[in-house]
């Protein structure tokens, strides 16, 4: 049996321990010992970017925001969808997660992060939203396990009423917000609707042939 290699460790502002591992060629991040993401199961993260970016690939100088770098799958999928003049802003709270992805010794996101369309921001995505009113044609939020099954308490405000309002304020009129979640949360979908959004719930597999089902909430401003 091949060993589980511990490659790095970090702490979130509220004290959650994140650890990067490699096992048999795959990478995974655990939060306080619970698997948060893996390179073996990323279809739903790819779909997150496809759903958000496909409608705007013809928009001139499209600007999108990704909240949470993770293992870089949403970033790489967004770059595949978007035109050469787009800008992809990635907000990541934990500096070590950025370092792990940028390390060419790991088979993660070093090449994608060198793409001239990418701007990496080491900050809470809530702050990025606050500083960019009407700033994005699409917003992709994949922090923690989403509103359902949250592991890191610092992410909670993003899914609260004020966080939703900040997100809506940062979205351009014809754009969309797509949230990734480990499972269904009807209460959260209701909160999005209450915020003036039309919400579509999509179920997507973690892997293309097997594995658990994840949820994407696709939210667009209600046309008046």
């Amino acid at each position: 049996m091949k060993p589980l290699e511990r490659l790095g460790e970090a702490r979130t502002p509220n004290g959650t321990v994140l650890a990067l591992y490699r096992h048999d060629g795959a990478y995974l991040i655990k939060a306080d010992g619970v698997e948060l993401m893996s390179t073996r199961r990323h279809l739903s993260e790819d779909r997150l970017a496809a759903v958000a970016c496909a409608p705007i690939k013809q928009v001139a100088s499209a600007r999108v925001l990704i909240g949470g770098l993770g293992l870089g799958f949403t970033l790489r999928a967004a770059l595949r969808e978007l035109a050469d003049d787009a800008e992809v802003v990635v907000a990541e709270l934990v500096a070590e997660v950025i370092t792990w992805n940028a390390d060419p010794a790991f088979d993660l996101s070093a090449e994608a992060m060198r793409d001239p369309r990418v701007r990496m921001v080491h900050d809470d995505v809530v702050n990025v939203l606050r500083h960019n009113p009407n700033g994005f044609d699409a917003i992709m939020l994949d922090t923690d396990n989403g509103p359902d099954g949250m592991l890191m308490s610092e992410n909670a405000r993003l899914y609260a009423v004020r966080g939703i309002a900040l997100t809506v304020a940062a979205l351009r009129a014809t754009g969309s917000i797509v949230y990734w979640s480990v499972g269904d949360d009807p209460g959260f979908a209701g909160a999005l609707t209450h915020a003036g959004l039309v919400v579509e719930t999509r179920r997507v597999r973690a892997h293309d042939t097997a594995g658990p089902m994840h949820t994407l909430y696709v939210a667009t401003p209600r046309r008046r």
Side-chain angles (χ1 to χ4, degrees):
M1 181 179 293
K2 296 188 177 181
L4 183 67
E5 304 173 74
R6 191 181 181 99
L7 303 173
E9 182 178 297
R11 283 188 181 271
T12 72
N14 287 355
T16 301
V17 176
L18 298 181
L20 175 68
Y21 294 90
R22 180 168 53 203
H23 179 255
D24 195 18
Y27 293 85
L28 60 150
I29 292 177
K30 293 185 178 184
D32 284 342
V34 178
E35 184 175 311
L36 192 59
M37 61 197 74
S38 167
T39 58
R40 294 192 189 279
R41 294 181 296 276
H42 57 84
L43 179 63
S44 60
E45 295 161 73
D46 296 340
R47 292 283 174 82
L48 168 65
V51 168
C53 296
I56 62 168
K57 61 173 60 179
Q58 302 301 324
V59 174
S61 302
R63 189 166 185 255
V64 306
L65 172 64
I66 298 173
L69 175 59
L71 291 169
F73 286 104
T74 300
L75 169 61
R76 298 198 290 280
L79 293 173
R80 291 194 295 270
E81 292 285 346
L82 294 169
D84 291 343
D85 63 349
E87 180 184 18
V88 182
V89 179
V90 184
E92 172 53 53
L93 180 64
V94 181
E96 289 86 348
V97 172
I98 298 173
T99 300
W100 297 339
N101 275 274
D103 190 338
F106 303 149
D107 187 20
L108 295 173
S109 306
E111 182 177 355
M113 291 170 68
R114 290 194 297 268
D115 191 300
R117 294 173 290 175
V118 176
R119 182 162 71 88
M120 192 66 54
V121 179
H122 173 216
D123 199 356
D124 191 322
V125 67
V126 170
N127 295 330
V128 177
L129 291 164
R130 182 179 292 114
H131 295 143
N132 287 273
N134 195 38
F136 300 104
D137 295 288
I139 300 172
M140 294 155 271
L141 297 175
D142 181 9
T143 64
D144 206 306
N145 271 335
D148 182 54
M150 198 171 298
L151 297 174
M152 293 174 281
S153 60
E154 51 265 84
N155 292 319
R157 61 180 179 158
L158 181 63
Y159 303 98
V161 171
R162 289 185 180 179
I164 294 170
L166 271 178
T167 307
V168 172
L171 184 70
R172 292 171 180 165
T174 57
S176 63
I177 308 163
V178 185
Y179 294 83
W180 183 96
S181 177
V182 72
D184 282 338
D185 188 336
F188 179 66
L192 295 176
T193 301
H194 187 72
L197 298 165
V198 176
V199 182
E200 177 188 355
T201 301
R202 301 190 186 186
R203 297 284 283 163
V204 182
R205 282 198 181 278
H207 187 275
D208 57 356
T209 58
M213 300 293 291
H214 295 153
T215 301
L216 300 179
Y217 296 104
V218 184
T220 54
R222 188 176 295 120
R223 307 298 179 222
R224 299 186 184 276

